Protein backbone atom coordinates (compact mmCIF):
# COMPACT_ATOMS: atom_id res chain seq x y z
CA UNK A 1 0.00 0.00 0.00
CA UNK A 2 1.20 3.48 -0.62
CA UNK A 3 -1.60 5.97 -0.10
CA UNK A 4 -3.85 6.73 2.90
CA UNK A 5 -6.92 6.58 0.68
CA UNK A 6 -6.08 3.02 -0.37
CA UNK A 7 -5.61 2.06 3.30
CA UNK A 8 -8.97 3.66 4.08
CA UNK A 9 -10.68 1.61 1.33
CA UNK A 10 -9.15 -1.49 2.91
CA UNK A 11 -10.53 -0.40 6.30
CA UNK A 12 -14.01 -0.15 4.77
CA UNK A 13 -13.70 -3.77 3.59
CA UNK A 14 -12.57 -4.88 7.04
CA UNK A 15 -14.73 -2.78 9.36
CA UNK A 16 -17.55 -1.36 7.22
CA UNK A 17 -18.52 2.27 6.87
CA UNK A 18 -17.07 4.84 4.47
CA UNK A 19 -13.57 5.89 3.47
CA UNK A 20 -13.97 9.17 5.40
CA UNK A 21 -14.43 7.18 8.63
CA UNK A 22 -10.77 6.08 8.46
CA UNK A 23 -8.93 8.65 6.37
CA UNK A 24 -7.75 10.82 9.29
CA UNK A 25 -6.06 7.86 10.98
CA UNK A 26 -4.35 6.69 7.81
CA UNK A 27 -3.28 10.24 6.93
CA UNK A 28 -1.74 10.53 10.41
CA UNK A 29 0.32 7.36 9.91
CA UNK A 30 1.69 8.68 6.62
CA UNK A 31 2.08 12.40 7.37
CA UNK A 32 5.78 11.83 7.98
CA UNK A 33 6.12 11.63 4.16
CA UNK A 34 6.12 15.43 4.32
CA UNK A 35 9.56 15.27 5.97
CA UNK A 36 11.09 12.24 4.29
CA UNK A 37 9.84 11.16 0.90
CA UNK A 38 11.03 7.56 0.94
CA UNK A 39 10.11 4.50 2.98
CA UNK A 40 12.25 5.60 5.93
CA UNK A 41 9.35 7.87 6.88
CA UNK A 42 7.73 4.72 8.30
CA UNK A 43 10.23 4.69 11.16
CA UNK A 44 8.26 7.58 12.68
CA UNK A 45 4.93 5.79 13.29
CA UNK A 46 4.83 2.34 11.67
CA UNK A 47 5.43 0.36 14.87
CA UNK A 48 3.71 -0.67 18.10
CA UNK A 49 4.35 2.69 19.76
CA UNK A 50 2.87 4.50 16.75
CA UNK A 51 -0.26 2.37 16.94
CA UNK A 52 -0.71 3.22 20.62
CA UNK A 53 -0.07 6.89 19.87
CA UNK A 54 -2.84 6.80 17.25
CA UNK A 55 -5.13 5.26 19.84
CA UNK A 56 -4.26 8.05 22.28
CA UNK A 57 -4.89 10.75 19.66
CA UNK A 58 -8.03 9.35 18.03
CA UNK A 59 -9.53 7.54 21.01
CA UNK A 60 -9.66 3.84 21.76
CA UNK A 61 -12.80 3.40 19.68
CA UNK A 62 -15.02 5.37 17.32
CA UNK A 63 -18.31 4.83 15.54
CA UNK A 64 -18.11 4.51 11.79
CA UNK A 65 -20.83 5.82 9.47
CA UNK A 66 -22.73 2.53 9.84
CA UNK A 67 -22.87 3.00 13.60
CA UNK A 68 -20.40 0.18 14.27
CA UNK A 69 -17.81 0.54 17.02
CA UNK A 70 -14.31 0.29 15.54
CA UNK A 71 -11.12 -0.09 17.56
CA UNK A 72 -8.57 2.52 16.54
CA UNK A 73 -5.79 0.08 17.40
CA UNK A 74 -7.14 -2.39 14.83
CA UNK A 75 -7.12 0.30 12.14
CA UNK A 76 -3.52 1.17 13.06
CA UNK A 77 -2.50 -2.47 13.03
CA UNK A 78 -4.16 -2.90 9.63
CA UNK A 79 -2.20 0.08 8.24
CA UNK A 80 1.16 -1.12 9.55
CA UNK A 81 0.57 -4.72 8.48
CA UNK A 82 -0.37 -3.63 4.96
CA UNK A 83 2.80 -1.54 4.67
CA UNK A 84 5.29 -3.67 6.57
CA UNK A 85 3.95 -7.22 6.47
CA UNK A 86 4.32 -7.43 10.26
CA UNK A 87 4.13 -5.03 13.21
CA UNK A 88 7.61 -3.98 14.30
CA UNK A 89 8.38 -2.36 17.63
CA UNK A 90 10.08 1.01 17.90
CA UNK A 91 13.11 -0.93 19.13
CA UNK A 92 13.14 -2.91 15.86
CA UNK A 93 13.52 0.36 13.97
CA UNK A 94 16.07 1.97 16.30
CA UNK A 95 18.34 -1.02 16.73
CA UNK A 96 18.78 -1.11 12.97
CA UNK A 97 19.76 2.53 12.65
CA UNK A 98 23.44 3.23 12.28
CA UNK A 99 24.74 5.61 14.95
CA UNK A 100 26.38 8.74 13.59
CA UNK A 101 28.96 10.91 15.31
CA UNK A 102 26.61 13.90 15.38
CA UNK A 103 24.21 11.86 17.51
CA UNK A 104 26.75 11.53 20.32
CA UNK A 105 28.83 14.74 20.35
CA UNK A 106 26.71 16.69 22.82
CA UNK A 107 29.64 18.08 24.82
CA UNK A 108 31.49 19.36 21.76
CA UNK A 109 28.41 21.10 20.39
CA UNK A 110 27.51 22.60 23.77
CA UNK A 111 31.03 23.98 24.17
CA UNK A 112 31.00 25.51 20.68
CA UNK A 113 27.48 26.84 21.06
CA UNK A 114 28.10 27.89 24.66
CA UNK A 115 30.31 30.81 23.67
CA UNK A 116 27.23 32.58 22.36
CA UNK A 117 24.99 31.80 25.34
CA UNK A 118 24.06 34.31 28.04
CA UNK A 119 26.42 34.26 31.02
CA UNK A 120 23.92 32.63 33.41
CA UNK A 121 23.27 29.80 30.96
CA UNK A 122 27.00 29.34 30.26
CA UNK A 123 27.43 28.86 34.02
CA UNK A 124 24.71 26.18 34.10
CA UNK A 125 26.36 24.37 31.17
CA UNK A 126 29.72 24.53 32.94
CA UNK A 127 28.21 23.16 36.17
CA UNK A 128 26.59 20.35 34.20
CA UNK A 129 29.92 19.47 32.57
CA UNK A 130 31.65 19.44 35.97
CA UNK A 131 28.96 17.10 37.37
CA UNK A 132 29.31 14.83 34.32
CA UNK A 133 33.09 14.68 34.79
CA UNK A 134 32.74 13.92 38.53
CA UNK A 135 30.23 11.14 37.86
CA UNK A 136 32.49 9.73 35.16
CA UNK A 137 35.40 9.64 37.62
CA UNK A 138 33.22 7.85 40.20
CA UNK A 139 32.26 5.21 37.65
CA UNK A 140 35.88 4.72 36.61
CA UNK A 141 37.02 4.45 40.25
CA UNK A 142 34.16 2.20 41.35
Amino acid sequence: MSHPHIHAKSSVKMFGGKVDDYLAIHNWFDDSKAFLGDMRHRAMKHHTAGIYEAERLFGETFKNSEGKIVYTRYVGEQHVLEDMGFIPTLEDWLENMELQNWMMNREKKVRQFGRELPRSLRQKVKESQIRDEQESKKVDAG
Side-chain angles (χ1 to χ4, degrees):
M1 300 260 164
S2 61
H3 195 280
H5 199 270
I6 296 170
H7 285 292
K9 284 182 176 182
S10 182
S11 293
V12 169
K13 289 179 185 175
M14 293 180 85
F15 309 111
K18 298 179 183 175
V19 166
D20 287 343
D21 298 334
Y22 307 99
L23 204 48
I25 296 170
H26 294 299
N27 277 326
W28 180 82
F29 271 98
D30 284 342
D31 67 8
S32 53
K33 289 178 184 176
F35 307 106
L36 188 60
D38 62 36
M39 295 309 167
R40 292 176 294 172
H41 86 89
R42 292 177 175 167
M44 300 294 289
K45 298 176 182 174
H46 286 59
H47 44 69
T48 53
I51 293 167
Y52 277 85
E53 182 65 12
E55 188 177 49
R56 189 183 70 76
L57 288 170
F58 294 99
E60 290 183 17
T61 63
F62 61 94
K63 276 188 183 178
N64 68 16
S65 58
E66 293 177 354
K68 294 179 183 174
I69 299 294
V70 179
Y71 291 93
T72 302
R73 185 182 315 165
Y74 293 173
V75 176
E77 288 173 350
Q78 170 227 326
H79 185 110
V80 174
L81 282 168
E82 288 174 349
D83 280 351
M84 306 298 300
F86 74 109
I87 300 175
T89 64
L90 180 56
E91 181 183 12
D92 292 329
W93 282 100
L94 295 177
E95 73 182 2
N96 287 293
M97 286 185 183
E98 187 176 329
L99 286 174
Q100 303 294 319
N101 283 337
W102 63 264
M103 295 174 178
M104 300 175 282
N105 284 338
R106 180 187 71 84
E107 290 179 25
K108 181 179 179 183
K109 288 184 181 196
V110 167
R111 279 192 218 114
Q112 289 173 350
F113 181 70
R115 293 185 190 110
E116 301 169 10
L117 295 174
R119 192 169 142 179
S120 61
L121 195 50
R122 278 195 310 243
Q123 182 61 34
K124 290 189 183 294
V125 169
K126 187 175 182 179
E127 291 168 2
S128 174
Q129 288 172 339
I130 291 169
R131 276 195 306 274
D132 288 348
E133 288 172 13
Q134 289 171 344
E135 288 185 22
S136 179
K137 288 178 184 177
K138 287 179 187 177
V139 169
D140 290 343

